[in-house]
Amino acid sequence: MTTNQSGERQDILDFLAKHRSFLRHTAQGLTDEQANTRSTVSELTVGGLIKHVSTVEQHWAEFAQGNGQSTPGATEYTPEVIAAWQDQFRLVEGETLAGVLAEYEKVAAATDELVRTLDLDAAYELPAAPWQPPGVFWTVRRVFLHITAETAQHAGHADILRESIDGQKTMG
């Protein structure tokens, strides 16, 4: 069996769409207050997870275009850097669930266009990080698979949070 590029690209798009749908479903019908509720012992919130997934997807999409090296990592973990990291997992002043969902839709549409157009075999070196040895390259294909895995993982987290808020489940 021969895999053609358009089939592979469609598979990636379908897989992304499925897990994005699960994530968005967890927010359906929530108020901003509920979307920002810590419903378990975790610091995570449904709205914050959607915001985080959107930010991470955008970062990886930039990497897939060869722009990953221009995003410097924090070299010093100051209280401000830690606070900014924590704020990506919750809605902060002025943010709404509708706003983070709208931003997520824009990011998703941009990523989908990259799935359709980028060379899936192009590879870029991962940025330096304490957990990453130098010289590791990821293909664009792997980046899109990683975005999907991140989305699926966080959709599961959001599902648990949502069930703790009002009993709604994505599946079952």
Side-chain angles (χ1 to χ4, degrees):
M1 177 178 192
T2 305
T3 303
N4 66 36
Q5 289 283 19
S6 63
E8 179 181 19
R9 290 175 194 277
Q10 192 58 53
D11 286 347
I12 293 169
L13 290 168
D14 291 347
F15 202 39
L16 274 168
K18 174 183 175 181
H19 292 291
R20 287 176 182 144
S21 175
F22 288 152
L23 181 59
R24 284 191 307 271
H25 181 77
T26 64
Q28 228 172 32
L30 289 180
T31 65
D32 288 340
E33 183 180 344
Q34 289 172 314
N36 211 30
T37 297
R38 291 181 47 220
S39 61
T40 67
V41 296
S42 169
E43 294 286 328
L44 301 175
T45 68
V46 172
L49 280 170
I50 293 167
K51 178 179 162 182
H52 169 71
V53 168
S54 181
T55 300
V56 168
E57 182 170 324
Q58 187 171 30
H59 166 77
W60 282 109
E62 290 169 7
F63 178 85
Q65 296 174 80
N67 300 326
Q69 297 299 336
S70 65
T71 309
T75 55
E76 189 176 334
Y77 294 103
T78 64
E80 295 80 18
V81 169
I82 293 168
W85 173 257
Q86 291 171 333
D87 282 348
Q88 76 171 316
F89 292 98
R90 61 179 161 248
L91 302 179
V92 296
E93 177 104 16
E95 291 180 324
T96 64
L97 179 58
V100 296
L101 283 167
E103 180 62 23
Y104 186 42
E105 290 304 311
K106 283 193 244 177
V107 169
T111 300
D112 287 353
E113 186 57 27
L114 296 177
V115 171
R116 289 182 193 96
T117 59
L118 291 180
D119 176 1
L120 298 178
D121 292 320
Y124 303 101
E125 185 174 7
L126 292 175
W131 56 86
Q132 181 62 53
V136 175
F137 286 74
W138 276 14
T139 64
V140 170
R141 176 184 295 99
R142 184 166 177 177
V143 169
F144 293 139
L145 296 174
H146 181 72
I147 291 170
T148 306
E150 282 275 323
T151 304
Q153 178 179 9
H154 290 312
H157 296 145
D159 197 40
I160 291 167
L161 296 171
R162 177 61 188 261
E163 185 176 1
S164 298
I165 292 169
D166 65 3
Q168 178 179 301
K169 300 176 194 176
T170 301
M171 299 172 81

